């Protein structure tokens, strides 16, 4: 009995769906603008590496190392410039002179070499890993005198100082040829 009543309900439902009365038209579906595909994020461009020091025409002092300047002279905390590099990079005499000191006596400077150039100027090269000269040696401008190191500092670098009449001066004007 139950099967016949279900069959009758299904036939009635089908008959209701096949009426000849047309359905009212459907309202159009709303349209939304299609978003443009997202552009890929821009690839970050690394900041340019500061150019390394190089010998400048007319400069009385040559570049002591080829790396970028990572610390500038301020006359108080930094009495020279810091030049970044890698362990073993060559350090060159900025000017012809005589080696007057090769020492590790000042912990803040690590191992250092000092050159006397004339009655006015001396240069100091600190945080070296190995000296290539000895006290009393005469050196030419550009001659390798040491290798870059990390003694007494948080990274590999050269601390380069120029002293004029015993007073620390900013090395950059001398290296660029602006000062004599």
């Amino acid at each position: 009995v139950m099967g016949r009543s279900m069959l009758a309900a299904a036939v009635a439902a089908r008959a209701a769906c096949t009426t000849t009365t047309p359905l009212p038209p459907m309202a159009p579906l709303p349209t939304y603008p299609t978003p443009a595909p997202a552009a890929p994020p821009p690839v970050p461009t690394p900041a340019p590496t500061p150019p390394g020091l190089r010998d400048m025409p007319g400069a009385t002092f040559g570049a002591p190392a080829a790396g970028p300047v990572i610390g500038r002279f301020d006359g108080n905390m930094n009495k020279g410039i810091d030049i970044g590099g890698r362990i073993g990079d060559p350090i060159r005499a900025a000017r012809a002179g005589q080696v007057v000191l090769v020492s590790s006596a000042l912990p803040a400077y690590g191992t250092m070499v000092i050159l006397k150039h004339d009655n006015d100027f001396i240069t100091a090269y600190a945080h070296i890993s190995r000296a290539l000269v000895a006290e009393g040696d005469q050196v030419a401008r550009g001659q390798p005198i040491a290798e870059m190191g990390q003694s007494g500092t948080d990274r590999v670098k050269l601390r380069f100082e120029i002293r004029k009449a015993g007073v620390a001066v900013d090395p950059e004007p001398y290296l660029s040829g602006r000062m004599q």
Side-chain angles (χ1 to χ4, degrees):
V1 173
M2 198 160 173
R4 280 191 183 177
S5 64
M6 281 183 67
L7 181 60
V11 169
R14 180 162 169 98
C17 288
T18 57
T19 62
T20 56
T21 309
L23 294 172
M26 284 183 58
L29 294 174
T31 59
Y32 299 101
T34 305
V43 176
T45 308
T49 301
L53 292 175
R54 59 186 189 281
D55 283 347
M56 301 299 288
T60 57
F61 289 87
V69 175
I70 58 172
R72 292 213 146 57
F73 176 87
D74 66 18
N76 294 315
M77 295 299 292
N78 194 347
K79 297 200 181 279
I81 59 173
D82 294 330
I83 302 168
R86 296 182 316 257
I87 292 283
D89 281 354
I91 297 170
R92 302 181 184 284
R95 192 173 184 184
Q98 181 177 19
V99 179
V100 294
L101 181 71
V102 177
S103 176
S104 298
L106 298 173
Y109 284 85
T111 304
M112 65 187 301
V113 171
I114 296 179
L115 304 180
K116 181 176 179 168
H117 303 288
D118 53 33
N119 288 333
D120 288 332
F121 289 102
I122 64 168
T123 53
Y125 309 79
H127 305 301
I128 65 174
S129 64
R130 182 170 73 112
L132 304 176
V133 294
E135 291 178 15
D137 287 354
Q138 292 292 324
V139 297
R141 177 179 170 156
Q143 176 182 333
I145 59 169
E147 293 176 350
M148 202 172 289
Q150 189 175 347
S151 62
T153 184
D154 61 342
R155 67 170 290 175
V156 177
K157 67 181 176 182
L158 165 66
R159 166 69 55 84
F160 175 68
E161 297 183 5
I162 297 177
R163 306 252 171 169
K164 182 176 183 181
V167 177
V169 295
D170 184 355
E172 290 187 89
Y174 290 91
L175 296 172
S176 69
R178 295 190 314 261
M179 299 283 292
Q180 298 293 319

